Structure formats: structure tokens, C-alpha cells
Amino acid sequence: MKYLIYVLIVIASGLIIYNTTHLDFGHLLDGDSKTALISIFASACVILLLSILLVSKAIQKKKNNL
């Protein structure tokens, strides 16, 4: 499970990098740039949620070892 989470984080990071190349900084809310911006925010949310999951798993493991 731990490795799957790391793989998903890497994929989300790759999507952020890929979508950053599609941004038109002159017109952020038009066409493909709007879709890329939404995808960047979605990928950032995925990374945040998976990081929270990793921390909660670590806390649960420490709690069960006591």
C-alpha cells in the first residue's frame, strides 16, 4: 500500500509538470490553459490527500506498537 501511494504521488507530480507546459500565462482562464490550471489544482489536492494518508498510517502504526 505504501508503494502504491508513492507511485500515485509521482504520477500526480508528473501531471503537474505536464500541465504546467500547457499554461498560457497571458490568458490563464481561456481554453486549454483553463483545463491545465484545473488539472494542476486537482493534482496538488491528490498529493496533499495522499500525504495526509501516509502520515495517518504512520501514526496508526506507532499507536498499535504501544
Side-chain angles (χ1 to χ4, degrees):
M1 179 80 170
K2 186 176 182 180
Y3 296 114
L4 176 66
I5 293 172
Y6 286 128
V7 168
L8 291 174
I9 289 174
V10 169
I11 291 171
S13 299
L15 284 172
I16 287 175
I17 294 168
Y18 174 75
N19 284 316
T20 303
T21 62
H22 286 91
L23 286 178
D24 178 18
F25 292 104
H27 305 285
L28 277 177
L29 298 177
D30 293 335
D32 288 339
S33 186
K34 181 179 178 182
T35 305
L37 195 62
I38 291 170
S39 298
I40 289 170
F41 285 134
S43 296
C45 289
V46 166
I47 292 172
L48 179 66
L49 290 172
L50 289 173
S51 299
I52 291 171
L53 181 63
L54 280 174
V55 170
S56 69
K57 292 281 186 185
I59 291 171
Q60 182 181 16
K61 184 177 179 182
K62 285 184 181 182
K63 182 181 175 187
N64 288 339
N65 286 339
L66 291 178

